[in-house]
């Protein structure tokens, strides 16, 4: 089967295009990665090249040894993914030690995988272990309103989660575990990847202050929907704060507890503090 004809490739391209159309991927901003299933790898194996050299990942991810990933390329624009996916995307294979990768398909005009590859792979390793392999998508975007909030809210998991939860009743149902927040760090290296993977041990959303958001999920729809819900809540909060810094009405802790009971989710008590 041709790589571009596969369902996983079409889902990947659609997600990249959806994110661009929502304004989350200016220029070459953001990146996306997908851990392929063995069946998907087998379906395109005859289309994969083995001529590219092995290259250090910049991180050690032994839990992903031998795995294949579809990822966006470094410096590539999301707006061009639907137009020329073979130039913007690549399939990479990791060695058995999880220390090196090689390009097996794509980036036909040259280049390398996203500069955030260490962060993506460290997050994939954590989520693969924690979800028994169910999570396969890691998505990094630059949603405007969520980034804006990192300039005005305390950079704590508790405050960020509670404020986002209060903006829309669906939020505690969509991300009941809350969101993690990381203070500003230089992107693209192992250090920020380590800090993000620590947050991913507890959450499916990690906010990078003054930069963007990382989300993890089992499917393209689930992961994109998570990012979309967080950003919609952030947009409402930005509008509320533009009107007044003091909310006249909001969802109270006991109301969150009732919501959790009715929707069969567990909400950590650390987020249900009295204001």
């Amino acid at each position: 089967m041709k790589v571009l004809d596969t369902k996983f490739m079409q889902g990947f391209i659609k997600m990249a295009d959806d994110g661009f159309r929502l304004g989350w991927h200016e220029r070459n901003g953001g990146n996306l990665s997908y851990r392929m299933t063995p069946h998907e790898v087998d379906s395109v194996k005859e289309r994969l090249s083995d001529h590219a050299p092995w290259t250090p990942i910049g991180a050690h991810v032994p839990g992903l040894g031998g795995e294949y990933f579809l990822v966006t390329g470094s410096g590539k624009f999301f707006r061009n993914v639907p137009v020329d996916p073979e130039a913007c995307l690549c399939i990479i294979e990791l060695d058995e030690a999880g220390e090196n990768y090689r390009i097996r398909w794509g980036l036909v005009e040259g280049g390398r995988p996203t500069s955030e590859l260490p962060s993506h792979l460290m997050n994939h390793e954590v989520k693969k272990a924690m979800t028994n392999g169910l999570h396969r998508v890691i998505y990094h975007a630059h949603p405007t309103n969520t980034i804006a909030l990192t300039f005005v809210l305390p950079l704590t998991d508790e405050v960020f989660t509670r404020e986002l939860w209060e903006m829309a009743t669906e939020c505690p149902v969509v991300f009941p575990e809350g969101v993690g927040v990381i203070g500003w760090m230089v992107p693209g290296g192992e250090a920020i990847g380590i800090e993000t993977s620590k947050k991913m041990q507890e959450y499916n959303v990690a906010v990078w202050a003054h930069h963007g958001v990382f989300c993890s999920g089992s499917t393209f729809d689930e992961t994109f929907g998570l990012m979309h819900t967080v950003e919609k809540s952030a947009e409402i909060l930005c509008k509320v704060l533009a009107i007044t810094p003091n909310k006249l009405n909001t969802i109270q802790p006991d109301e969150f507890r009732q919501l959790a009971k009715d929707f069969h989710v567990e909400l950590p008590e650390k987020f249900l503090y009295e204001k």
Side-chain angles (χ1 to χ4, degrees):
M1 178 182 292
K2 292 182 179 180
V3 176
L4 293 178
D5 292 338
T6 60
K7 185 176 181 179
F8 72 86
M9 176 61 78
Q10 293 301 311
F12 192 101
I13 292 172
K14 182 181 187 301
M15 184 166 172
D17 190 46
D18 286 345
F20 168 73
R21 291 176 182 277
L22 285 172
W24 300 346
H25 299 285
E26 73 294 336
R27 200 171 181 274
N28 62 318
N31 24 76
L32 175 61
S33 64
Y34 171 69
R35 183 168 58 86
M36 297 166 60
T37 68
H39 173 73
E40 289 165 342
V41 175
D42 288 341
S43 72
V44 299
K45 209 147 197 180
E46 63 181 22
R47 305 284 182 173
L48 305 183
S49 167
D50 59 3
H51 300 308
W54 290 100
T55 303
I57 293 168
H60 183 51
V61 285
L64 301 177
E67 297 257 22
Y68 287 70
F69 294 83
L70 175 60
V71 301
T72 48
S74 179
K76 303 301 181 181
F77 292 22
F78 267 53
R79 70 186 297 266
N80 293 331
V81 170
V83 178
D84 196 356
E86 289 182 276
C88 297
L89 311 177
C90 62
I91 292 174
I92 62 171
E93 174 191 10
L94 305 194
D95 64 12
E96 292 300 327
E99 295 182 346
N100 301 282
Y101 73 88
R102 61 176 175 172
I103 296 173
R104 299 295 304 272
W105 177 91
L107 293 180
V108 294
E109 297 176 356
R112 59 188 178 88
T114 170
S115 61
E116 301 289 359
L117 187 63
S119 293
H120 275 257
L121 293 180
M122 281 187 273
N123 283 298
H124 274 291
E125 184 178 43
V126 166
K127 285 305 185 181
K128 177 185 176 183
M130 292 188 63
T131 67
N132 197 28
L134 289 178
H135 276 212
R136 293 187 173 274
V137 183
I138 297 291
Y139 182 34
H140 171 50
H142 299 166
T144 306
N145 295 283
T146 308
I147 296 172
L149 290 178
T150 67
F151 291 91
V152 297
L153 291 183
L155 298 177
T156 68
D157 303 354
E158 290 79 10
V159 172
F160 238 86
T161 296
R162 177 64 175 275
E163 293 300 316
L164 292 176
W165 276 4
E166 287 186 14
M167 293 303 101
T169 300
E170 69 170 329
C171 288
V173 179
V174 175
F175 49 100
E177 65 284 335
V179 303
V181 183
I182 298 169
W184 186 87
M185 296 180 68
V186 175
E190 185 175 17
I192 195 168
I194 290 171
E195 291 305 311
T196 308
S197 62
K198 288 179 182 177
K199 293 295 183 182
M200 285 293 182
Q201 293 176 17
E202 188 172 355
Y203 310 109
N204 292 323
V205 180
V207 177
W208 284 5
H210 324 321
H211 183 154
V213 181
F214 261 81
C215 285
S216 173
S218 59
T219 67
F220 295 120
D221 281 349
E222 177 185 290
T223 313
F224 189 85
L226 178 57
M227 182 79 74
H228 204 178
T229 303
V230 169
E231 173 61 2
K232 180 63 175 291
S233 180
E235 180 182 2
I236 297 169
L237 181 55
C238 284
K239 290 180 177 180
V240 169
L241 293 175
I243 298 169
T244 175
N246 303 307
K247 301 173 197 150
L248 201 59
N249 309 292
T250 192
I251 306 171
Q252 299 298 329
D254 281 343
E255 293 171 328
F256 280 122
R257 294 183 182 100
Q258 185 60 52
L259 182 72
K261 180 180 178 181
D262 289 355
F263 279 84
H264 309 290
V265 296
E266 293 185 14
L267 302 182
E269 282 292 321
K270 68 179 180 177
F271 300 130
L272 302 182
Y273 53 85
E274 296 292 338
K275 293 184 176 181

